[in-house]
Amino acid sequence: MTYNFTVADRFLKYVAIDTQSDPLSDTVPSTARQKDLSRILVDELKDMGVQQAALDDFGYVYATIPANTQKTVPVICFCSHVDTSSDCSGAGVKPIVHREYDGREIVLPDDPAQIIRPGDHPYLKAKKGEDLITASGTTLLGADDKAGVAIIMDLANYLVTHPEIKHGTIKILFTPDEEIGRGVDHVDLERLGADFGYTLDGGERGSYTDETFSANGVTIHFYGNSIHPGYARGKLINAIKVAGTFLELLPKDGFSPETTEDREGFVHPVHMEGGAEKTSLSFIIRDFDTSKLALHEARLEQFAKQATGRYPGSRYEFESREQYRNMKEVIDNHPEIGEYVKIAMERSGVVFKKSSARGGTDGSRLSFMGIPFPDIFTGEMAFHGKHEYVSIQDMQKSVETLIHLVQVWEEKAS
């Protein structure tokens, strides 16, 4: 298509803004700095002519592009999150554009030890000749999910400047705190007013994700007995040691993210704190089959029983909470959602690839809140680390896909 895409320029601007969320914070949003980007997005939307754009107190951006057709078209929402992962620094991001990538290793200049190798990132082989964006070596890039944010913003720009493109009402939603599992905790569904939606938070070009993990969170508290160490013989029970024994019982050849792939589930310790009296461990539990979460938890609790059994007088408490569920359970009831994406990709010259995500999105929870919400590609790759990268051409193809997608929904309406 003939269009002067703005997605790359927007992306380069957005990633320079630190929006890292904080899993240990109890504020909403978890960090005030996320609103720094959200305020900019509202201003840009209004400047381009999207007057129904606003930021609420919880850090959500809501915007509406009115329908320009007489047909009754379902209201479609496009959603991305503004926060970046807490796994790697997001402060002082310096994006670098690598024009016409030559297919070789990319040495990141601010830390030459950080090398993006095609052998470690097979998708790079398909990106030869394209324009890649990376960070400089000391931070993540933030393509997860500022690529999605920039894509939606460019879609809005296109629709406003091309009124001849017929579409129904389009809703835009930018969320905070997705990376720490709170992305839709305070979303106002009535204000959103969408029938169906798509998150822009996927990876390789052409990927359409209608299946995610189901997820629980588990916290295990180990209790000991704290005594002055000088007088502790026969009395001290160190909760740290009990927790350490428990961790040592976890399998080394499975049951964990580093030893599983494809459709295998896992348990993963993500936080530990405490002392001799009480030590607490936090886990995430993941599987595509929701019924298996209980089995994973039962196995985990069995290890806790074994650990406390080795320290007479110690005890544990086991707490489980639901986080999100596999969106496929909802999406499968609405096959047109994926069919229309496939048509849009074909019109954009993109090969449609249905995929499953070994993780979750805001769409996972939104689907079970009443709005079926699969995911569409952005090109973001190697996220949550210093080797993160994105192809400008992938982002442009995502914009083009969305442009065709809103037209398909309008065409199929009566």
Side-chain angles (χ1 to χ4, degrees), residues 95-137:
I96 300 172
V97 180
H98 306 263
R99 297 290 180 187
E100 297 183 353
Y101 169 59
D102 61 10
R104 296 185 293 182
E105 295 180 345
I106 302 174
V107 179
L108 302 180
D110 287 351
D111 181 359
Q114 300 298 327
I115 303 173
I116 306 176
R117 296 182 173 90
D120 298 329
H121 303 276
Y123 187 60
L124 279 174
K125 298 174 183 178
K127 299 296 100 181
K128 186 175 181 179
E130 296 185 12
D131 304 314
L132 303 187
I133 304 175
T134 70
S136 62

Side-chain angles (χ1 to χ4, degrees), residues 317 347 368 391 399:
E317 291 179 353
R347 293 181 183 181
F368 285 89
S391 160
V399 175

Side-chain angles (χ1 to χ4, degrees), residues 318-332:
F318 193 96
E319 301 172 355
S320 175
R321 61 195 178 281
E322 179 178 322
Q323 293 181 323
Y324 57 84
R325 291 294 179 257
N326 187 344
M327 65 168 68
K328 190 172 180 62
E329 298 173 20
V330 175
I331 304 301
D332 278 354

Side-chain angles (χ1 to χ4, degrees), residues 155-209:
L155 167 69
N157 181 71
Y158 186 91
L159 295 180
V160 169
T161 56
H162 292 76
E164 72 278 7
I165 300 297
K166 296 299 180 183
H167 58 81
T169 299
I170 304 299
K171 297 286 186 172
I172 293 171
L173 176 66
F174 295 128
T175 65
D177 291 336
E178 189 269 358
E179 294 290 1
I180 58 174
R182 307 176 199 168
V184 297
D185 280 3
H186 298 279
V187 69
D188 186 335
L189 293 181
E190 184 175 350
R191 182 174 185 176
L192 186 60
D195 298 308
F196 300 98
Y198 299 92
T199 53
L200 273 295
D201 199 10
E204 295 184 11
R205 184 186 301 187
S207 64
Y208 165 77
T209 303

Side-chain angles (χ1 to χ4, degrees), residues 42-118:
V42 170
D43 290 342
E44 289 185 354
L45 285 165
K46 289 183 175 180
D47 287 345
M48 70 175 67
V50 181
Q51 293 306 310
Q52 296 182 51
L55 171 65
D56 74 3
D57 292 340
F58 297 118
Y60 294 85
V61 174
Y62 299 88
T64 302
I65 301 175
N68 62 1
T69 178
Q70 298 302 312
K71 292 184 176 182
T72 302
V73 184
V75 177
I76 304 301
C77 175
F78 295 105
C79 171
S80 290
H81 61 90
V82 300
D83 67 315
T84 60
S85 171
S86 59
D87 293 345
C88 182
S89 174
V93 174
K94 293 189 290 185
I96 300 172
V97 180
H98 306 263
R99 297 290 180 187
E100 297 183 353
Y101 169 59
D102 61 10
R104 296 185 293 182
E105 295 180 345
I106 302 174
V107 179
L108 302 180
D110 287 351
D111 181 359
Q114 300 298 327
I115 303 173
I116 306 176
R117 296 182 173 90

